[in-house]
Amino acid sequence: MKVQIDYDLCMGDGNCNKVCPEVFAYDDDQLIGRVIVDEVPPELEDRVRRAAEECAPGAIVIKE
Ligand code: SF4
């Protein structure tokens, strides 16, 4: 699984970082989420899916 953030949509609430800090960082300077891994480890895939579901503007794009 790979994951990206659509920066046209991200509203910077930092929820993805709270749900899965192993995959999403929060950029305090730009006030947006950041993906910090190339490939999502299998054991974190469910939490990345949850982060995507909870991302209000739908900015988290998952590629299986
Ligand atoms: S949860 Fe969505 S809107 Fe919030 S910081 Fe992450 S990508 Fe951006």
Side-chain angles (χ1 to χ4, degrees):
M1 174 195 280
K2 288 184 182 285
V3 64
Q4 296 177 329
I5 292 174
D6 182 339
Y7 290 110
D8 290 333
L9 297 176
C10 175
M11 61 183 192
D13 64 0
N15 190 60
C16 50
N17 170 245
K18 291 186 194 116
V19 173
C20 191
E22 298 91 339
V23 171
F24 300 100
Y26 187 67
D27 185 330
D28 288 311
D29 293 330
Q30 304 283 323
L31 304 179
I32 50 176
R34 293 269 187 213
V35 177
I36 55 173
V37 299
D38 271 346
E39 191 84 30
V40 177
E43 66 273 19
L44 297 177
E45 289 184 355
D46 283 350
R47 270 202 285 146
V48 168
R49 287 192 191 95
R50 183 152 66 85
E53 285 168 13
E54 290 184 12
C55 176
I60 296 176
V61 181
I62 290 173
K63 294 182 181 170
E64 304 270 2

